[in-house]
Amino acid sequence: MDFTLDETQQAVADLAATVLRAEPDHGRATNVLAGAAGYDETLWKAMAQAGLLSLAVPTEHGGDGLGAVEVAAVLTEVGRQVQPLPALATLALAVLPLTALGASEHLTAVADGAVLTAALRPMVWSQGAVTGRASGVPYAAQAHRILVPVADGIALLAPDADGVSLTRTTTSTGAPEYTVQCTDTPAELVPGDASVLSRFAVAGAIAVADGVLAGALDLTASHVRDRIQFGRPLATFQAVAQEVGDVYVTARTIHLASTAVNWELANARDADVDIEIAAYWLAAELPAALQMCHHLHGGLGVDITYPLHRYYSHAKDLARMVGGAGYRLDRVGAACR
């Protein structure tokens, strides 16, 4: 298998990097998100205008008809810049699953910057309504629609629909996240296999994790190269070099996991086992690698006004999103039986 990005995929990655780096830093040194929306609305609009939000939307609905690999390239760059954006929620939790189920007519508003999201915990579908409770739903209050897995497919509901209750919950980054309670909430059903939702959610999370760790590693390598201790750069000490090497190995493994699962999904391959392994690696190794980056920075690393704090906060939220290391290890074991 050749995972090298083709000309189109590389152009997408380059465009995402250009757009995300061109906007001024809107107070991103800390985890405080400016604006009532809870994300950088100016930057989100810039991504929409650049066509980065509609890459995977079919051409008949105003998109480019691309797939998971191109979306992963965008998410990786969002992670690298640790931007406060609903990119993972909109692209991986909504655009890709709806496209896979042939329901891309629901995505026309995405090109203009509409936010979408999904609950990953199933709810009960009965007579055109959903009932149930799901926690950890990102940007639920800000979303145009929330996707909910049900027995017959995926239900689409509005966050302000009758019977919906949203309770804001805490995140490490400060990004909006909610517990969604539905009681006989009217919704529209998209028939199909709802498991596509969890597949694309994990694949998207590992893509963001790829960028988060790559960005943290770059920051750490620069620090130990420039920091002078006992008259020598920190990078020249053997123990420091070994620890940076360990982080590099983790970063390369997460990059490979992201590339593999998104390529498999884009090419309609069976990605289930690789997704379970990728999710475990994210949950177990990403936070540990960020802890090592903190260690290599010394006291500077725990200063919330220093950029490393943003990377670590994102890593913790991503690990929690996929369920934690113990849960994911159990799933890997079950998949290997």
Side-chain angles (χ1 to χ4, degrees):
M1 298 180 185
D2 183 5
F3 292 143
T4 304
L5 296 181
D6 63 25
E7 185 176 347
T8 298
Q9 293 160 355
Q10 188 59 58
V12 168
D14 293 342
L15 176 60
T18 299
V19 171
L20 290 167
R21 294 172 185 170
E23 292 297 315
D25 188 330
H26 298 285
R28 291 186 289 108
T30 70
N31 289 333
V32 177
L33 305 181
Y39 61 91
D40 190 329
E41 295 176 270
T42 300
L43 187 52
W44 187 245
K45 182 178 180 180
M47 290 184 68
Q49 291 174 338
L52 293 171
L53 304 184
S54 55
L55 290 171
V57 176
T59 54
E60 62 266 28
H61 295 294
D64 296 298
L66 300 176
V69 173
E70 292 79 14
V71 168
V74 175
L75 293 177
T76 296
E77 196 58 37
V78 170
R80 191 188 307 273
Q81 302 301 321
V82 283
Q83 298 281 12
L85 295 167
L88 177 60
T90 299
L91 299 178
L93 274 64
V95 172
L96 288 173
L98 288 177
T99 300
L101 293 180
S104 51
E105 67 273 12
H106 297 286
L107 301 175
T108 53
V110 170
D112 295 325
V115 175
L116 300 175
T117 191
L120 298 181
R121 183 181 178 87
M123 295 189 188
V124 176
W125 171 260
S126 177
Q127 299 180 339
V130 293
T131 297
R133 181 176 180 271
S135 59
V137 182
Y139 298 96
Q142 294 79 10
H144 173 64
R145 290 290 184 270
I146 302 172
L147 282 66
V148 177
V150 296
D152 299 317
I154 292 175
L156 298 177
L157 58 92
D160 58 353
D162 292 341
V164 175
S165 173
L166 303 179
T167 303
R168 180 77 179 260
T169 52
T170 303
T171 61
S172 294
T173 60
E177 190 174 284
Y178 299 83
T179 294
V180 178
Q181 177 74 50
C182 296
T183 305
D184 292 328
T185 301
E188 182 176 353
L189 180 67
V190 175
D193 182 4
S195 66
V196 298
L197 192 54
S198 60
R199 291 190 188 100
F200 283 116
V202 172
I206 195 72
V208 176
D210 181 13
V212 167
L213 189 50
L217 180 58
D218 287 345
L219 188 68
T220 303
S222 176
H223 173 75
V224 298
R225 182 178 60 246
D226 298 336
R227 175 76 170 177
I228 303 300
Q229 192 77 25
F230 304 113
R232 298 165 52 191
L234 277 176
T236 63
F237 290 89
Q238 185 179 37
V240 171
Q242 289 172 338
E243 290 173 340
V244 171
D246 288 342
V247 176
Y248 174 80
V249 169
T250 301
R252 291 300 299 166
T253 305
I254 286 179
H255 174 71
L256 176 60
S258 173
T259 303
V261 299
N262 282 288
W263 184 88
E264 288 167 341
L265 290 172
N267 289 277
R269 300 289 188 96
D270 183 359
D272 287 352
V273 173
D274 286 344
I275 285 173
E276 296 297 346
I277 294 170
Y280 170 70
W281 196 266
L282 186 164
E285 300 299 333
L286 179 65
L290 265 295
Q291 288 171 359
M292 182 60 71
C293 291
H294 271 300
H295 170 70
L296 290 166
H297 274 83
L300 180 63
V302 297
D303 182 351
I304 64 170
T305 65
Y306 184 72
L308 185 60
H309 195 270
R310 290 186 285 129
Y311 289 103
Y312 189 39
S313 296
H314 275 73
K316 289 194 292 184
D317 279 346
L318 288 168
R320 179 175 52 82
M321 173 186 169
V322 299
Y327 168 71
R328 282 296 168 180
L329 184 59
D330 289 343
R331 290 183 63 95
V332 169
C336 295
R337 288 175 185 168

